[in-house]
PDB file of all heavy atoms in Angstrom:
ATOM      1  N   TYR V   1       0.839  -1.275   0.053  1.00 90.00           N
ATOM      2  CA  TYR V   1       0.010   0.017   0.053  1.00 90.00           C
ATOM      3  C   TYR V   1       0.887   1.231  -0.006  1.00 90.00           C
ATOM      4  O   TYR V   1       0.595   2.211  -0.695  1.00 90.00           O
ATOM      5  CB  TYR V   1      -0.838   0.003   1.148  1.00 90.00           C
ATOM      6  CG  TYR V   1      -1.642   1.315   1.337  1.00 90.00           C
ATOM      7  CD1 TYR V   1      -2.885   1.672   0.540  1.00 90.00           C
ATOM      8  CD2 TYR V   1      -1.273   2.240   2.322  1.00 90.00           C
ATOM      9  CE1 TYR V   1      -3.549   2.723   0.753  1.00 90.00           C
ATOM     10  CE2 TYR V   1      -1.950   3.374   2.490  1.00 90.00           C
ATOM     11  CZ  TYR V   1      -3.062   3.702   1.757  1.00 90.00           C
ATOM     12  OH  TYR V   1      -3.768   4.952   1.892  1.00 90.00           O
ATOM     13  N   LEU V   2       1.981   1.343   0.884  1.00 89.00           N
ATOM     14  CA  LEU V   2       2.775   2.442   0.886  1.00 89.00           C
ATOM     15  C   LEU V   2       3.578   2.596  -0.455  1.00 89.00           C
ATOM     16  O   LEU V   2       3.718   3.816  -0.814  1.00 89.00           O
ATOM     17  CB  LEU V   2       3.769   2.243   2.011  1.00 89.00           C
ATOM     18  CG  LEU V   2       3.233   2.379   3.420  1.00 89.00           C
ATOM     19  CD1 LEU V   2       4.335   2.113   4.410  1.00 89.00           C
ATOM     20  CD2 LEU V   2       2.710   3.770   3.638  1.00 89.00           C
ATOM     21  N   GLY V   3       3.879   1.541  -0.984  1.00 87.00           N
ATOM     22  CA  GLY V   3       4.492   1.609  -2.345  1.00 87.00           C
ATOM     23  C   GLY V   3       3.649   2.176  -3.445  1.00 87.00           C
ATOM     24  O   GLY V   3       4.139   3.001  -4.275  1.00 87.00           O
ATOM     25  N   LYS V   4       2.411   1.936  -3.273  1.00 84.00           N
ATOM     26  CA  LYS V   4       1.420   2.555  -4.268  1.00 84.00           C
ATOM     27  C   LYS V   4       1.387   4.081  -3.947  1.00 84.00           C
ATOM     28  O   LYS V   4       1.152   4.843  -4.939  1.00 84.00           O
ATOM     29  CB  LYS V   4       0.049   1.829  -4.074  1.00 84.00           C
ATOM     30  CG  LYS V   4      -1.058   2.198  -5.033  1.00 84.00           C
ATOM     31  CD  LYS V   4      -0.773   1.641  -6.371  1.00 84.00           C
ATOM     32  CE  LYS V   4      -2.012   1.964  -7.308  1.00 84.00           C
ATOM     33  NZ  LYS V   4      -1.727   1.586  -8.702  1.00 84.00           N
ATOM     34  N   VAL V   5       1.269   4.389  -2.708  1.00 81.00           N
ATOM     35  CA  VAL V   5       1.055   5.724  -2.281  1.00 81.00           C
ATOM     36  C   VAL V   5       2.400   6.534  -2.420  1.00 81.00           C
ATOM     37  O   VAL V   5       2.440   7.658  -3.046  1.00 81.00           O
ATOM     38  CB  VAL V   5       0.480   5.896  -0.836  1.00 81.00           C
ATOM     39  CG1 VAL V   5       0.482   7.359  -0.274  1.00 81.00           C
ATOM     40  CG2 VAL V   5      -0.788   5.258  -0.738  1.00 81.00           C
ATOM     41  N   LEU V   6       3.488   6.081  -1.952  1.00 73.00           N
ATOM     42  CA  LEU V   6       4.772   6.864  -1.986  1.00 73.00           C
ATOM     43  C   LEU V   6       5.461   6.837  -3.303  1.00 73.00           C
ATOM     44  O   LEU V   6       5.934   7.827  -3.735  1.00 73.00           O
ATOM     45  CB  LEU V   6       5.622   6.293  -0.797  1.00 73.00           C
ATOM     46  CG  LEU V   6       5.255   6.476   0.554  1.00 73.00           C
ATOM     47  CD1 LEU V   6       6.231   5.792   1.531  1.00 73.00           C
ATOM     48  CD2 LEU V   6       4.917   7.953   0.938  1.00 73.00           C
ATOM     49  N   GLY V   7       5.493   5.622  -3.924  1.00 71.00           N
ATOM     50  CA  GLY V   7       6.348   5.405  -5.165  1.00 71.00           C
ATOM     51  C   GLY V   7       5.507   5.437  -6.363  1.00 71.00           C
ATOM     52  O   GLY V   7       6.010   5.416  -7.502  1.00 71.00           O
ATOM     53  N   LYS V   8       4.147   5.409  -6.151  1.00 79.00           N
ATOM     54  CA  LYS V   8       3.234   5.288  -7.374  1.00 79.00           C
ATOM     55  C   LYS V   8       3.599   4.075  -8.182  1.00 79.00           C
ATOM     56  O   LYS V   8       3.462   4.241  -9.463  1.00 79.00           O
ATOM     57  CB  LYS V   8       3.383   6.755  -8.319  1.00 79.00           C
ATOM     58  CG  LYS V   8       3.196   7.938  -7.340  1.00 79.00           C
ATOM     59  CD  LYS V   8       1.774   8.160  -6.769  1.00 79.00           C
ATOM     60  CE  LYS V   8       1.642   9.357  -6.073  1.00 79.00           C
ATOM     61  NZ  LYS V   8       0.299   9.476  -5.405  1.00 79.00           N
ATOM     62  N   GLU V   9       3.985   3.071  -7.678  1.00 82.00           N
ATOM     63  CA  GLU V   9       4.345   1.915  -8.368  1.00 82.00           C
ATOM     64  C   GLU V   9       3.210   0.910  -8.449  1.00 82.00           C
ATOM     65  O   GLU V   9       2.481   0.811  -7.522  1.00 82.00           O
ATOM     66  CB  GLU V   9       5.519   1.153  -7.773  1.00 82.00           C
ATOM     67  CG  GLU V   9       6.845   1.988  -7.793  1.00 82.00           C
ATOM     68  CD  GLU V   9       8.042   1.324  -7.351  1.00 82.00           C
ATOM     69  OE1 GLU V   9       7.818   0.296  -6.592  1.00 82.00           O
ATOM     70  OE2 GLU V   9       9.181   1.679  -7.652  1.00 82.00           O
ATOM     71  N   PRO V  10       3.074   0.339  -9.625  1.00 87.00           N
ATOM     72  CA  PRO V  10       1.819  -0.604  -9.754  1.00 87.00           C
ATOM     73  C   PRO V  10       2.147  -1.851  -8.935  1.00 87.00           C
ATOM     74  O   PRO V  10       3.274  -2.237  -8.723  1.00 87.00           O
ATOM     75  CB  PRO V  10       1.867  -0.966 -11.185  1.00 87.00           C
ATOM     76  CG  PRO V  10       3.190  -0.581 -11.729  1.00 87.00           C
ATOM     77  CD  PRO V  10       3.721   0.519 -10.856  1.00 87.00           C
ATOM     78  N   ILE V  11       1.134  -2.553  -8.657  1.00 88.00           N
ATOM     79  CA  ILE V  11       1.179  -3.782  -7.667  1.00 88.00           C
ATOM     80  C   ILE V  11       2.013  -4.822  -8.387  1.00 88.00           C
ATOM     81  O   ILE V  11       2.699  -5.546  -7.657  1.00 88.00           O
ATOM     82  CB  ILE V  11      -0.278  -4.212  -7.298  1.00 88.00           C
ATOM     83  CG1 ILE V  11      -0.970  -3.131  -6.427  1.00 88.00           C
ATOM     84  CG2 ILE V  11      -0.203  -5.523  -6.647  1.00 88.00           C
ATOM     85  CD1 ILE V  11      -2.431  -3.574  -6.017  1.00 88.00           C
ATOM     86  N   ASP V  12       1.818  -5.032  -9.638  1.00 88.00           N
ATOM     87  CA  ASP V  12       2.527  -6.009 -10.311  1.00 88.00           C
ATOM     88  C   ASP V  12       4.130  -5.815 -10.147  1.00 88.00           C
ATOM     89  O   ASP V  12       4.798  -6.850  -9.886  1.00 88.00           O
ATOM     90  CB  ASP V  12       2.273  -6.172 -11.824  1.00 88.00           C
ATOM     91  CG  ASP V  12       0.807  -6.631 -12.134  1.00 88.00           C
ATOM     92  OD1 ASP V  12       0.292  -7.275 -11.158  1.00 88.00           O
ATOM     93  OD2 ASP V  12       0.332  -6.630 -13.145  1.00 88.00           O
ATOM     94  N   LYS V  13       4.505  -4.533 -10.274  1.00 90.00           N
ATOM     95  CA  LYS V  13       5.981  -4.240 -10.106  1.00 90.00           C
ATOM     96  C   LYS V  13       6.420  -4.506  -8.688  1.00 90.00           C
ATOM     97  O   LYS V  13       7.554  -5.145  -8.507  1.00 90.00           O
ATOM     98  CB  LYS V  13       6.218  -2.870 -10.449  1.00 90.00           C
ATOM     99  CG  LYS V  13       7.771  -2.500 -10.415  1.00 90.00           C
ATOM    100  CD  LYS V  13       8.021  -1.066 -10.993  1.00 90.00           C
ATOM    101  CE  LYS V  13       9.450  -0.755 -10.851  1.00 90.00           C
ATOM    102  NZ  LYS V  13       9.675   0.695 -11.359  1.00 90.00           N
ATOM    103  N   GLN V  14       5.574  -4.244  -7.687  1.00 91.00           N
ATOM    104  CA  GLN V  14       5.961  -4.504  -6.321  1.00 91.00           C
ATOM    105  C   GLN V  14       5.949  -5.865  -5.973  1.00 91.00           C
ATOM    106  O   GLN V  14       6.880  -6.351  -5.200  1.00 91.00           O
ATOM    107  CB  GLN V  14       4.927  -3.706  -5.353  1.00 91.00           C
ATOM    108  CG  GLN V  14       4.985  -2.274  -5.441  1.00 91.00           C
ATOM    109  CD  GLN V  14       4.127  -1.589  -4.388  1.00 91.00           C
ATOM    110  OE1 GLN V  14       4.462  -1.677  -3.163  1.00 91.00           O
ATOM    111  NE2 GLN V  14       3.052  -0.964  -4.738  1.00 91.00           N
ATOM    112  N   ILE V  15       5.063  -6.701  -6.503  1.00 91.00           N
ATOM    113  CA  ILE V  15       5.122  -8.074  -6.319  1.00 91.00           C
ATOM    114  C   ILE V  15       6.421  -8.694  -6.852  1.00 91.00           C
ATOM    115  O   ILE V  15       6.999  -9.598  -6.243  1.00 91.00           O
ATOM    116  CB  ILE V  15       3.885  -8.798  -6.982  1.00 91.00           C
ATOM    117  CG1 ILE V  15       2.621  -8.367  -6.093  1.00 91.00           C
ATOM    118  CG2 ILE V  15       4.033 -10.289  -6.975  1.00 91.00           C
ATOM    119  CD1 ILE V  15       1.383  -8.892  -6.731  1.00 91.00           C
ATOM    120  N   GLY V  16       6.918  -8.208  -8.104  1.00 92.00           N
ATOM    121  CA  GLY V  16       8.144  -8.584  -8.589  1.00 92.00           C
ATOM    122  C   GLY V  16       9.297  -8.272  -7.691  1.00 92.00           C
ATOM    123  O   GLY V  16      10.218  -8.973  -7.448  1.00 92.00           O
ATOM    124  N   GLN V  17       9.169  -7.146  -7.025  1.00 90.00           N
ATOM    125  CA  GLN V  17      10.296  -6.720  -6.019  1.00 90.00           C
ATOM    126  C   GLN V  17      10.241  -7.718  -4.786  1.00 90.00           C
ATOM    127  O   GLN V  17      11.369  -8.103  -4.421  1.00 90.00           O
ATOM    128  CB  GLN V  17      10.133  -5.288  -5.686  1.00 90.00           C
ATOM    129  CG  GLN V  17      10.286  -4.246  -6.705  1.00 90.00           C
ATOM    130  CD  GLN V  17       9.784  -2.921  -6.302  1.00 90.00           C
ATOM    131  OE1 GLN V  17       9.366  -2.692  -5.260  1.00 90.00           O
ATOM    132  NE2 GLN V  17       9.886  -1.940  -7.217  1.00 90.00           N
ATOM    133  N   PHE V  18       9.117  -7.966  -4.358  1.00 93.00           N
ATOM    134  CA  PHE V  18       9.017  -8.743  -3.201  1.00 93.00           C
ATOM    135  C   PHE V  18       9.449 -10.266  -3.575  1.00 93.00           C
ATOM    136  O   PHE V  18      10.271 -10.754  -2.727  1.00 93.00           O
ATOM    137  CB  PHE V  18       7.501  -9.003  -2.838  1.00 93.00           C
ATOM    138  CG  PHE V  18       7.293  -9.919  -1.781  1.00 93.00           C
ATOM    139  CD1 PHE V  18       7.370  -9.438  -0.417  1.00 93.00           C
ATOM    140  CD2 PHE V  18       6.841 -11.227  -1.925  1.00 93.00           C
ATOM    141  CE1 PHE V  18       7.136 -10.368   0.642  1.00 93.00           C
ATOM    142  CE2 PHE V  18       6.648 -12.055  -0.879  1.00 93.00           C
ATOM    143  CZ  PHE V  18       6.755 -11.622   0.393  1.00 93.00           C
ATOM    144  N   ILE V  19       9.142 -10.824  -4.698  1.00 93.00           N
ATOM    145  CA  ILE V  19       9.671 -12.139  -5.084  1.00 93.00           C
ATOM    146  C   ILE V  19      11.151 -12.035  -5.283  1.00 93.00           C
ATOM    147  O   ILE V  19      11.916 -13.014  -4.913  1.00 93.00           O
ATOM    148  CB  ILE V  19       8.921 -12.646  -6.330  1.00 93.00           C
ATOM    149  CG1 ILE V  19       7.509 -12.815  -6.072  1.00 93.00           C
ATOM    150  CG2 ILE V  19       9.675 -13.819  -6.946  1.00 93.00           C
ATOM    151  CD1 ILE V  19       6.756 -13.096  -7.339  1.00 93.00           C
ATOM    152  N   SER V  20      11.776 -10.906  -5.896  1.00 91.00           N
ATOM    153  CA  SER V  20      13.140 -10.825  -5.955  1.00 91.00           C
ATOM    154  C   SER V  20      13.860 -10.787  -4.628  1.00 91.00           C
ATOM    155  O   SER V  20      14.895 -11.483  -4.413  1.00 91.00           O
ATOM    156  CB  SER V  20      13.511  -9.489  -6.689  1.00 91.00           C
ATOM    157  OG  SER V  20      14.803  -9.250  -6.786  1.00 91.00           O
ATOM    158  N   GLY V  21      13.334 -10.147  -3.606  1.00 88.00           N
ATOM    159  CA  GLY V  21      13.825 -10.077  -2.383  1.00 88.00           C
ATOM    160  C   GLY V  21      13.816 -11.538  -1.702  1.00 88.00           C
ATOM    161  O   GLY V  21      14.787 -11.913  -1.002  1.00 88.00           O
ATOM    162  N   ALA V  22      12.700 -12.122  -1.724  1.00 89.00           N
ATOM    163  CA  ALA V  22      12.381 -13.443  -1.156  1.00 89.00           C
ATOM    164  C   ALA V  22      13.436 -14.525  -1.742  1.00 89.00           C
ATOM    165  O   ALA V  22      13.840 -15.451  -1.149  1.00 89.00           O
ATOM    166  CB  ALA V  22      10.960 -13.840  -1.328  1.00 89.00           C
ATOM    167  N   GLY V  23      13.626 -14.301  -3.087  1.00 89.00           N
ATOM    168  CA  GLY V  23      14.454 -15.291  -3.829  1.00 89.00           C
ATOM    169  C   GLY V  23      15.971 -14.892  -3.793  1.00 89.00           C
ATOM    170  O   GLY V  23      16.714 -15.570  -4.647  1.00 89.00           O
ATOM    171  N   HIS V  24      16.462 -13.878  -3.076  1.00 82.00           N
ATOM    172  CA  HIS V  24      17.783 -13.423  -3.082  1.00 82.00           C
ATOM    173  C   HIS V  24      18.656 -14.702  -2.546  1.00 82.00           C
ATOM    174  O   HIS V  24      18.250 -15.551  -1.870  1.00 82.00           O
ATOM    175  CB  HIS V  24      18.031 -12.360  -2.094  1.00 82.00           C
ATOM    176  CG  HIS V  24      19.476 -11.778  -2.189  1.00 82.00           C
ATOM    177  ND1 HIS V  24      20.401 -12.244  -1.464  1.00 82.00           N
ATOM    178  CD2 HIS V  24      19.914 -10.807  -3.000  1.00 82.00           C
ATOM    179  CE1 HIS V  24      21.555 -11.523  -1.813  1.00 82.00           C
ATOM    180  NE2 HIS V  24      21.218 -10.653  -2.679  1.00 82.00           N
ATOM    181  N   ALA V  25      19.777 -14.827  -3.182  1.00 79.00           N
ATOM    182  CA  ALA V  25      20.819 -15.913  -2.813  1.00 79.00           C
ATOM    183  C   ALA V  25      20.934 -16.206  -1.439  1.00 79.00           C
ATOM    184  O   ALA V  25      21.008 -17.345  -0.978  1.00 79.00           O
ATOM    185  CB  ALA V  25      22.073 -15.660  -3.668  1.00 79.00           C
ATOM    186  N   ASN V  26      21.184 -15.081  -0.712  1.00 70.00           N
ATOM    187  CA  ASN V  26      21.412 -15.212   0.792  1.00 70.00           C
ATOM    188  C   ASN V  26      20.130 -15.842   1.506  1.00 70.00           C
ATOM    189  O   ASN V  26      20.269 -16.660   2.422  1.00 70.00           O
ATOM    190  CB  ASN V  26      21.784 -13.811   1.390  1.00 70.00           C
ATOM    191  CG  ASN V  26      23.100 -13.469   0.958  1.00 70.00           C
ATOM    192  OD1 ASN V  26      24.101 -14.250   1.008  1.00 70.00           O
ATOM    193  ND2 ASN V  26      23.220 -12.213   0.435  1.00 70.00           N
ATOM    194  N   ILE V  27      19.021 -15.344   1.040  1.00 76.00           N
ATOM    195  CA  ILE V  27      17.840 -15.845   1.692  1.00 76.00           C
ATOM    196  C   ILE V  27      17.575 -17.370   1.315  1.00 76.00           C
ATOM    197  O   ILE V  27      17.257 -18.216   2.268  1.00 76.00           O
ATOM    198  CB  ILE V  27      16.471 -15.057   1.175  1.00 76.00           C
ATOM    199  CG1 ILE V  27      16.644 -13.604   1.684  1.00 76.00           C
ATOM    200  CG2 ILE V  27      15.256 -15.594   1.845  1.00 76.00           C
ATOM    201  CD1 ILE V  27      16.705 -13.324   3.071  1.00 76.00           C
ATOM    202  N   MET V  28      17.788 -17.792   0.135  1.00 83.00           N
ATOM    203  CA  MET V  28      17.610 -19.069  -0.313  1.00 83.00           C
ATOM    204  C   MET V  28      18.653 -20.006   0.296  1.00 83.00           C
ATOM    205  O   MET V  28      18.360 -21.071   0.711  1.00 83.00           O
ATOM    206  CB  MET V  28      17.666 -19.278  -1.796  1.00 83.00           C
ATOM    207  CG  MET V  28      16.580 -18.431  -2.582  1.00 83.00           C
ATOM    208  SD  MET V  28      14.916 -18.835  -1.872  1.00 83.00           S
ATOM    209  CE  MET V  28      14.721 -20.636  -2.150  1.00 83.00           C
ATOM    210  N   THR V  29      19.845 -19.522   0.441  1.00 76.00           N
ATOM    211  CA  THR V  29      20.918 -20.302   1.189  1.00 76.00           C
ATOM    212  C   THR V  29      20.518 -20.561   2.556  1.00 76.00           C
ATOM    213  O   THR V  29      20.706 -21.668   2.996  1.00 76.00           O
ATOM    214  CB  THR V  29      22.198 -19.425   1.107  1.00 76.00           C
ATOM    215  OG1 THR V  29      22.662 -19.319  -0.286  1.00 76.00           O
ATOM    216  CG2 THR V  29      23.322 -20.185   1.846  1.00 76.00           C
ATOM    217  N   MET V  30      20.063 -19.522   3.258  1.00 70.00           N
ATOM    218  CA  MET V  30      19.669 -19.684   4.683  1.00 70.00           C
ATOM    219  C   MET V  30      18.456 -20.624   4.762  1.00 70.00           C
ATOM    220  O   MET V  30      18.438 -21.594   5.677  1.00 70.00           O
ATOM    221  CB  MET V  30      19.215 -18.306   5.117  1.00 70.00           C
ATOM    222  CG  MET V  30      18.822 -18.355   6.708  1.00 70.00           C
ATOM    223  SD  MET V  30      18.617 -16.666   7.305  1.00 70.00           S
ATOM    224  CE  MET V  30      17.418 -15.948   6.215  1.00 70.00           C
ATOM    225  N   CYS V  31      17.617 -20.597   3.825  1.00 80.00           N
ATOM    226  CA  CYS V  31      16.384 -21.528   3.891  1.00 80.00           C
ATOM    227  C   CYS V  31      16.766 -22.959   3.785  1.00 80.00           C
ATOM    228  O   CYS V  31      16.248 -23.840   4.311  1.00 80.00           O
ATOM    229  CB  CYS V  31      15.428 -21.106   2.838  1.00 80.00           C
ATOM    230  SG  CYS V  31      14.467 -19.565   3.320  1.00 80.00           S
ATOM    231  N   ILE V  32      17.636 -23.147   2.805  1.00 83.00           N
ATOM    232  CA  ILE V  32      18.120 -24.613   2.573  1.00 83.00           C
ATOM    233  C   ILE V  32      19.008 -25.108   3.706  1.00 83.00           C
ATOM    234  O   ILE V  32      18.748 -26.277   4.177  1.00 83.00           O
ATOM    235  CB  ILE V  32      19.081 -24.653   1.292  1.00 83.00           C
ATOM    236  CG1 ILE V  32      18.111 -24.328   0.004  1.00 83.00           C
ATOM    237  CG2 ILE V  32      19.617 -25.960   1.118  1.00 83.00           C
ATOM    238  CD1 ILE V  32      18.912 -24.206  -1.203  1.00 83.00           C
ATOM    239  N   ILE V  33      19.676 -24.286   4.340  1.00 74.00           N
ATOM    240  CA  ILE V  33      20.418 -24.707   5.644  1.00 74.00           C
ATOM    241  C   ILE V  33      19.333 -25.030   6.833  1.00 74.00           C
ATOM    242  O   ILE V  33      19.544 -25.893   7.446  1.00 74.00           O
ATOM    243  CB  ILE V  33      21.340 -23.473   6.128  1.00 74.00           C
ATOM    244  CG1 ILE V  33      22.463 -23.339   5.280  1.00 74.00           C
ATOM    245  CG2 ILE V  33      21.823 -23.821   7.693  1.00 74.00           C
ATOM    246  CD1 ILE V  33      23.380 -22.143   5.510  1.00 74.00           C
ATOM    247  N   TYR V  34      18.266 -24.233   6.843  1.00 72.00           N
ATOM    248  CA  TYR V  34      17.219 -24.666   7.711  1.00 72.00           C
ATOM    249  C   TYR V  34      16.764 -26.070   7.569  1.00 72.00           C
ATOM    250  O   TYR V  34      16.602 -26.748   8.486  1.00 72.00           O
ATOM    251  CB  TYR V  34      16.051 -23.634   7.630  1.00 72.00           C
ATOM    252  CG  TYR V  34      16.122 -22.301   7.980  1.00 72.00           C
ATOM    253  CD1 TYR V  34      15.427 -21.257   7.523  1.00 72.00           C
ATOM    254  CD2 TYR V  34      17.178 -21.935   8.949  1.00 72.00           C
ATOM    255  CE1 TYR V  34      15.524 -19.864   7.943  1.00 72.00           C
ATOM    256  CE2 TYR V  34      17.309 -20.577   9.318  1.00 72.00           C
ATOM    257  CZ  TYR V  34      16.485 -19.590   8.808  1.00 72.00           C
ATOM    258  OH  TYR V  34      16.692 -18.323   9.317  1.00 72.00           O
ATOM    259  N   LEU V  35      16.450 -26.349   6.219  1.00 84.00           N
ATOM    260  CA  LEU V  35      15.877 -27.622   5.889  1.00 84.00           C
ATOM    261  C   LEU V  35      16.955 -28.746   6.325  1.00 84.00           C
ATOM    262  O   LEU V  35      16.652 -29.747   6.985  1.00 84.00           O
ATOM    263  CB  LEU V  35      15.615 -27.761   4.492  1.00 84.00           C
ATOM    264  CG  LEU V  35      14.352 -26.860   3.946  1.00 84.00           C
ATOM    265  CD1 LEU V  35      14.250 -26.975   2.428  1.00 84.00           C
ATOM    266  CD2 LEU V  35      13.197 -27.127   4.706  1.00 84.00           C
ATOM    267  N   LEU V  36      18.177 -28.583   5.841  1.00 83.00           N
ATOM    268  CA  LEU V  36      19.196 -29.559   6.114  1.00 83.00           C
ATOM    269  C   LEU V  36      19.429 -29.771   7.601  1.00 83.00           C
ATOM    270  O   LEU V  36      19.676 -30.874   8.182  1.00 83.00           O
ATOM    271  CB  LEU V  36      20.440 -29.200   5.444  1.00 83.00           C
ATOM    272  CG  LEU V  36      20.475 -29.368   3.899  1.00 83.00           C
ATOM    273  CD1 LEU V  36      21.808 -28.877   3.340  1.00 83.00           C
ATOM    274  CD2 LEU V  36      20.173 -30.815   3.472  1.00 83.00           C
ATOM    275  N   ALA V  37      19.383 -28.531   8.296  1.00 74.00           N
ATOM    276  CA  ALA V  37      19.629 -28.668   9.776  1.00 74.00           C
ATOM    277  C   ALA V  37      18.598 -29.350  10.498  1.00 74.00           C
ATOM    278  O   ALA V  37      18.783 -30.126  11.376  1.00 74.00           O
ATOM    279  CB  ALA V  37      19.872 -27.158  10.284  1.00 74.00           C
TER     280      ALA V  37
END
C-alpha cells in the first residue's frame, strides 16, 4: 500500500520486487540450511 502511495508503483511491479527479495541468494541459502539442519 505504501509503495502505491509513496512510489506510485503498480502492484505487479511491487510483487516482482517482493519475489526478488524473497528469492535472493542469501535468503535461499539460509532456507536450505534450515531444511538440512
Side-chain angles (χ1 to χ4, degrees):
Y1 173 77
L2 289 177
K4 186 73 174 175
V5 173
L6 296 177
K8 309 297 183 182
E9 293 186 340
I11 291 179
D12 287 348
K13 184 175 181 180
Q14 292 190 70
I15 291 176
Q17 294 168 359
F18 178 86
I19 293 173
S20 175
H24 188 270
N26 288 313
I27 299 295
M28 297 310 301
T29 297
M30 184 170 55
C31 287
I32 295 173
I33 289 175
Y34 290 158
L35 295 180
L36 290 174

